[in-house]
Amino acid sequence: MADKTATADPFEMWRDWVANSERQWNSFLNNAMATDEFSQAMGRMMDVYLNMQKNMNEVMGRYLQVINVPTRNDVMAIGERLSQIEDRLNQIEGALARMSVPSASGTAAPRATAVPRPPRTKKPAKA
Amino acid sequence: MTASASEVSVEERVRQQVERTIQRSIKGLEYISTGDPAVGLTPKDVIYSRGTLKLYHYHPQSDEVYRVPVLLVMSLVSKPYILDLTPGQSLVEFLLKQGFDVFMIDWGIPRPEDSKLKLEDYVLDFIPDCAERVLRDSGEDEVSIVGYCMGGQLSTMYAALHPDGPVKNLACFTTPVDADGMTLFRQWTDKRYFDVDRVVDTLGNVPPELLYASFDMLKPAARVAKNVQLWDNLWNDEFVKSYRMFDRWAADQIPFPGECFRQVTKDFMWDNKFAKNELLLAGRRVDLGNVRIPFIHIVAEHDHIVPYEAARPLVQLVGSEDKKEVMLKGGHVSLVAGGNAIYRLWPQLESWLGERSV
């Protein structure tokens, strides 16, 4: 009896209650969300959101065109072209690096950074 | 004697609660007035960048390193600093101290024009490109790959499509392969109600808020319970620091490239092609049986994002002779970071990878 008094902690009981409540609520809500009705409702909400977004994009695009400012699509097109240029530069860089790898001395290609490189000799510790 | 002990105990408890209440008020003000803790601090260099992609090389922290370098591949939906939270709670730092030469792919934050990126771009272009850079930088001809969550999917696809490639070992953490096991996500993306074409055609990249909300809905009561837990532990600096780092990461979602989302929804969620070995990337079938390198899949017992049913078939599907699955206590995030990972996942990875990295 005395031991029970010593270990009974109202705060610990409260923490247990919070943890149990969380589990129960999660389980209850997960069950509710795993239904067709919920997915259907989510689909409808998504439809409304997408319609709003589409209308806003169109209105904003027309407005920007009127005031002679590049639209989002214009900026994206420039971004795409820059990415293509970057990709081509990477391909050229890669091809050049591949050509230079098998050097006469048989050593590895120059490293990208000057950080000290420890020898690659480590072995796993025996159990 | 017993009565006296319990009286002291009650007195002690009351004193402790009063102290904690005062501390909560002081630390609560601190919590509101200070910024998020710094993350991803392990010294590194960017050795390659391409678009938003960055390839990091972490500075070695041991006198000698294993021969085979390690390349970490993150998921497309979250930032990679979960693997490098803070000194003492960083998988990257742990691996460096154990003698691994560590590289990491950071996909960056997709820009609007990246909405056209597909799985093919990641699996057949970006990962091979980065692997080649790692080989060139390290002077080796083999690399071990470690993939977390969707990063594990991408890495496995890469290994399956490059059976003669440079990958020596493949380690996946909590990687989904069977969409049948992802009950809620599958229900929410039911093709009768979820028009993925319209979502991608209208939005381009899928906004991070949408992803954050869907992850949150997997445990809808957790946010309230976490706040209660935070208030209860507000006196505890270590708890608050850890809470803030995890909370920051969880809320720090990034947009999902639109075309990739379309592919994942149709091929993975709807048709479950990954588990059926029917996934086609640029006309090439991803047959997991072609993965014949040493393979380990580490899964979390209480993972609510990738339930065990979704992760279980992976180890059976890969064709490796040297393969195993390890189930550890913890959830999707606590598996890889935080106090428990230090004693559970990290040593497992170190011992498995160490003996295969010479």
Side-chain angles (χ1 to χ4, degrees):
Chain A
M1 187 68 186
D3 280 343
K4 267 190 184 174
T5 316
T7 52
D9 179 349
F11 288 95
E12 209 46 57
M13 286 162 67
W14 171 72
R15 284 181 198 109
D16 286 345
W17 177 81
V18 170
N20 286 332
S21 301
E22 186 200 349
R23 262 194 298 276
Q24 284 165 5
W25 274 106
N26 280 338
S27 162
F28 169 73
L29 292 169
N30 280 166
N31 286 338
M33 287 188 290
T35 57
D36 273 1
E37 289 75 17
F38 184 82
S39 304
Q40 210 168 358
M42 249 176 61
R44 275 197 217 110
M45 275 169 58
M46 184 59 89
D47 268 350
V48 172
Y49 171 66
L50 293 175
N51 279 335
M52 276 170 50
Q53 193 70 38
K54 192 167 173 260
N55 291 338
M56 213 161 79
N57 288 350
E58 282 171 4
V59 169
M60 194 56 84
R62 277 201 292 271
Y63 174 69
L64 291 172
Q65 229 166 6
V66 167
I67 61 167
N68 210 17
V69 170
T71 63
R72 188 169 181 270
N73 287 342
D74 296 331
V75 176
M76 272 170 64
I78 295 173
E80 268 174 47
R81 291 179 68 181
L82 279 174
S83 297
Q84 283 167 6
I85 294 168
E86 202 178 37
D87 278 351
R88 289 200 179 168
L89 281 174
N90 277 325
Q91 282 167 10
I92 295 168
E93 192 192 28
L96 286 173
R98 272 191 296 275
M99 279 158 63
S100 67
V101 166
S103 61
S105 58
T107 52
R111 262 99 187 227
T113 55
V115 176
R117 308 290 179 130
R120 314 186 79 84
T121 49
K122 186 166 172 70
K123 302 272 182 278
K126 282 180 185 152
Chain B
M1 182 71 184
T2 321
S4 158
S6 72
E7 271 165 31
V8 170
S9 172
V10 169
E11 189 185 310
E12 176 63 24
R13 255 184 262 153
V14 169
R15 194 184 60 76
Q16 190 189 49
Q17 285 308 322
V18 170
E19 259 177 33
R20 285 184 180 179
T21 306
I22 295 166
Q23 285 294 313
R24 277 190 198 108
S25 307
I26 298 166
K27 309 265 180 187
L29 285 172
E30 259 178 45
Y31 183 85
I32 297 165
S33 58
T34 54
D36 286 328
V39 287
L41 297 174
T42 306
K44 59 183 178 287
D45 294 309
V46 178
I47 63 164
Y48 176 54
S49 62
R50 176 179 174 184
T52 62
L53 180 157
K54 284 188 173 61
L55 177 62
Y56 300 133
H57 176 236
Y58 289 88
H59 296 184
Q61 294 187 11
S62 59
D63 295 335
E64 53 175 356
V65 294
Y66 287 106
R67 183 182 67 79
V68 182
V70 179
L71 175 62
L72 304 175
V73 180
M74 256 314 272
S75 161
L76 296 180
V77 292
S78 42
K79 291 195 176 167
Y81 63 78
I82 190 66
L83 303 180
D84 183 25
L85 269 185
T86 191
Q89 279 197 45
S90 159
L91 171 64
V92 169
E93 181 197 54
F94 172 81
L95 290 174
L96 291 169
K97 286 190 171 158
Q98 298 307 312
F100 290 93
D101 193 12
V102 182
F103 296 78
M104 185 200 273
I105 300 177
D106 179 354
W107 301 115
I109 302 171
R111 302 168 186 150
E113 64 268 24
D114 293 329
S115 65
K116 290 181 182 158
L117 293 178
K118 301 178 83 173
L119 284 174
E120 283 85 341
D121 293 296
Y122 292 93
V123 175
L124 300 174
D125 188 0
F126 299 153
I127 296 180
D129 192 12
C130 288
E132 195 185 305
R133 308 264 167 182
V134 170
L135 300 183
R136 205 180 301 158
D137 191 78
S138 61
E140 292 298 326
D141 56 3
E142 292 179 308
V143 60
S144 297
I145 292 191
V146 176
Y148 175 39
C149 187
M150 194 185 175
Q153 282 187 324
L154 299 174
S155 309
T156 314
M157 290 175 199
Y158 165 62
L161 291 173
H162 299 80
D164 301 319
V167 186
K168 186 173 190 302
N169 307 295
L170 177 59
C172 290
F173 303 154
T174 181
T175 294
V177 64
D178 185 356
D180 284 341
M182 305 187 83
T183 329
L184 281 174
F185 277 132
R186 206 156 195 213
Q187 178 70 35
W188 297 341
T189 55
D190 188 322
K191 63 174 92 171
R192 289 174 296 169
Y193 314 117
F194 184 72
D195 188 349
V196 67
D197 289 326
R198 202 159 160 246
V199 171
V200 174
D201 294 342
T202 309
L203 301 176
N205 291 330
V206 179
E209 298 77 25
L210 213 63
L211 299 169
Y212 181 59
S214 60
F215 285 125
D216 230 24
M217 276 160 58
L218 293 172
K219 271 192 174 181
R223 186 142 297 277
V224 179
K226 269 186 192 170
N227 284 332
V228 172
Q229 214 182 7
L230 173 65
W231 176 84
D232 186 28
N233 289 282
L234 211 47
W235 54 272
N236 181 343
D237 287 339
E238 278 307 304
F239 180 92
V240 173
K241 187 182 170 197
S242 177
Y243 176 92
R244 292 187 80 152
M245 284 189 301
F246 280 102
D247 194 51
R248 175 184 165 178
W249 180 78
D252 209 0
Q253 299 282 329
I254 52 178
F256 198 129
E259 286 304 325
C260 202
F261 181 75
R262 196 196 308 261
Q263 244 175 327
V264 169
T265 305
K266 288 185 176 177
D267 290 347
F268 179 62
M269 282 296 173
W270 291 357
D271 299 335
N272 207 8
K273 287 183 181 173
F274 194 31
K276 293 177 187 164
N277 282 329
E278 290 173 1
L279 182 66
L280 289 177
L281 296 184
R284 296 165 66 187
R285 190 169 67 87
V286 179
D287 181 353
L288 294 172
N290 284 340
V291 178
R292 296 195 192 92
I293 48 178
F295 177 83
I296 187 170
H297 189 196
I298 305 180
V299 295
E301 195 179 344
H302 304 293
D303 194 332
H304 69 291
I305 294 175
V306 180
Y308 181 53
E309 291 69 34
R312 181 171 46 196
L314 184 55
V315 80
Q316 296 152 14
L317 286 165
V318 299
S320 318
E321 278 178 24
D322 175 6
K323 62 179 176 181
K324 73 169 177 175
E325 179 190 89
V326 177
M327 180 180 274
L328 299 176
K329 279 193 183 299
H332 191 74
V333 182
S334 65
L335 178 79
V336 295
N340 292 333
I342 298 170
Y343 304 106
R344 292 174 187 156
L345 183 134
W346 299 359
Q348 285 271 350
L349 179 67
E350 190 259 330
S351 69
W352 186 83
L353 208 51
E355 60 192 57
R356 291 165 178 81
S357 295
V358 289

